[in-house]
Amino acid sequence: MSELHEVLESYLTVRRALGFKLESQETRLRSFVTFMDARGATVVTAKLAVAWAGSQCGPATWSSRLSTVRSFAQHLTNTEPRTEIPPSGIYPPQRRPRPYIYSDAEIDDLLATMPALHRSGLQGRTYQCFFGLLAVAGLRFSEAANLARHDADLEQGVLTIRETKFGKSRIIPLHPTTIDALAAYVAERDACPVRRKGRYFFTGDRGAGLNHANVHKSFAVWTRRARLRLKQRSGPRIHDLRHTFAVRTLLGWYHDGEDVERRQPALTTYMGHTHLRDTYWYLTASPELLDHARLRLEARWEATA
């Protein structure tokens, strides 16, 4: 192991002790250090960092890749003064794709399609309830897929989401109709002793956790059947169910005349965002929300004029 690899291990340990998971960052930094080793380099330079960031992957990730190296380089300056911190602004910033907002009819069709795709076993019902929970609770894919049985308290009507994307846990209250739907799924799941002993809330026929690839494959089949995705083109994503939840929540508050600015921190906490700006992003990502915000702002200006 090279000295730079050893420093990387120390960097990852320190950052994780501060609560950062660094899953994608670790993969990137190991690739970068290997890139340096292949060139016989022992000191990080801006030229090497830029060359690595712009290699192998498409332009959409160049900026974030360089940002990952920049943080590592800042750490290295404490022990290696020759280290160069790559400048920002070399690559255009990575832009988040505009979310696709599903209609009620599309979500209903998605849920109805899953049992039709998987007519035998529990898989169809599992996918139906899995996608349904993403739609009504705004969970991340991994949060629902990793949900443990004991963290779904249907008697109290809450889910405990543990140690998620940013190392935080949170409580998710459920609507009574959601509780009833999940309770019905539990009865079907636990009818089989093998599944009843499983660790995860959402299971396959033998009680194991979800196979992520199979879930995505079934979702892709539905998007093509629903004419939301052409064969050779990308289409709406599973993650857009979370975006749909957030946008609909905000729209509901606007329609009800709520003080959105005051209530938005609650949505930030509910969705497990680290910063309020992550929730504010939905205002600009949805034309309808942006229009509501504009009208609300114009009304304030008129009131103070």
Side-chain angles (χ1 to χ4, degrees), residues 180-247:
D180 291 343
L182 293 181
Y185 168 71
V186 167
E188 294 180 53
R189 182 198 66 195
D190 290 353
C192 172
V194 174
R195 296 196 298 256
R196 191 161 56 243
K197 295 179 181 179
R199 172 188 173 189
Y200 296 101
F201 185 82
F202 293 110
T203 71
D205 288 332
R206 299 182 181 180
L210 293 182
N211 182 305
H212 291 202
N214 288 342
V215 178
H216 282 279
K217 181 179 179 181
S218 293
F219 183 82
V221 169
W222 168 73
T223 58
R224 286 193 289 269
R225 288 190 175 190
R227 298 184 179 181
L228 297 177
R229 181 194 306 268
L230 300 178
K231 288 186 177 180
Q232 302 301 324
R233 296 180 60 184
S234 61
R237 305 163 302 159
I238 294 176
H239 196 64
D240 287 325
L241 290 169
R242 175 172 162 88
H243 293 324
T244 298
F245 169 82
V247 169

Side-chain angles (χ1 to χ4, degrees), residues 6 19-20 29 52 61 66 106-107 111 127 151 163 172 190 203 230 243 253 267 270 282 287 298 301:
E6 293 179 358
F20 297 94
L29 289 174
W52 170 83
T61 63
L66 189 59
E106 288 169 341
I107 292 176
L111 303 189
Y127 290 177
D151 284 335
E163 297 296 318
I172 300 294
D190 290 353
T203 71
L230 300 178
H243 293 324
W253 288 346
L267 182 60
Y270 183 93
Y282 289 108
E298 288 177 355
W301 285 345

Side-chain angles (χ1 to χ4, degrees), residues 13-30:
T13 299
V14 170
R15 295 280 286 173
R16 287 194 169 116
L18 295 174
F20 297 94
K21 289 197 171 184
L22 304 177
E23 293 174 352
S24 61
Q25 290 88 343
E26 177 179 358
T27 301
R28 288 176 173 180
L29 289 174
R30 291 193 187 285

Side-chain angles (χ1 to χ4, degrees), residues 6-214:
E6 293 179 358
V7 176
L8 174 58
E9 295 299 331
S10 174
Y11 170 76
L12 294 172
T13 299
V14 170
R15 295 280 286 173
R16 287 194 169 116
L18 295 174
F20 297 94
K21 289 197 171 184
L22 304 177
E23 293 174 352
S24 61
Q25 290 88 343
E26 177 179 358
T27 301
R28 288 176 173 180
L29 289 174
R30 291 193 187 285
S31 171
F32 173 64
V33 172
T34 299
F35 176 88
M36 291 187 59
D37 286 345
R39 286 152 181 76
T42 58
V43 177
V44 173
T45 65
K47 183 177 180 180
L48 281 171
V50 171
W52 170 83
S55 65
Q56 302 175 357
C57 299
T61 63
W62 291 350
S63 178
S64 61
R65 281 161 62 86
L66 189 59
S67 178
T68 298
V69 175
R70 187 179 299 112
S71 296
F72 181 47
Q74 289 172 339
H75 171 81
L76 288 173
T77 58
N78 295 318
T79 55
E80 175 51 82
R82 293 178 297 168
T83 300
E84 296 177 6
I85 299 175
S88 59
I90 292 179
Y91 296 124
Q94 184 174 355
R95 298 188 181 278
R96 301 169 96 174
R98 174 168 289 183
Y100 181 86
I101 306 304
Y102 295 99
S103 67
D104 287 338
E106 288 169 341
I107 292 176
D108 288 344
D109 187 59
L110 166 64
L111 303 189
T113 297
M114 290 302 109
L117 281 180
H118 309 282
R119 296 184 180 278
S120 62
L122 187 70
Q123 191 175 31
R125 280 287 288 138
T126 295
Y127 290 177
Q128 181 184 57
C129 292
F130 177 78
F131 288 129
L133 184 60
L134 296 185
V136 301
L139 300 183
R140 299 180 178 94
F141 184 105
S142 60
E143 293 171 346
N146 296 330
L147 182 67
R149 295 169 62 99
H150 63 267
D151 284 335
D153 187 344
L154 299 184
E155 290 187 4
Q156 297 298 319
V158 297
L159 304 178
T160 300
I161 308 300
R162 301 186 186 277
E163 297 296 318
T164 59
K165 185 175 180 181
F166 299 102
K168 296 182 178 181
S169 299
R170 66 189 193 280
I171 302 296
I172 300 294
L174 300 174
H175 190 274
T177 57
T178 303
I179 297 171
D180 291 343
L182 293 181
Y185 168 71
V186 167
E188 294 180 53
R189 182 198 66 195
D190 290 353
C192 172
V194 174
R195 296 196 298 256
R196 191 161 56 243
K197 295 179 181 179
R199 172 188 173 189
Y200 296 101
F201 185 82
F202 293 110
T203 71
D205 288 332
R206 299 182 181 180
L210 293 182
N211 182 305
H212 291 202
N214 288 342

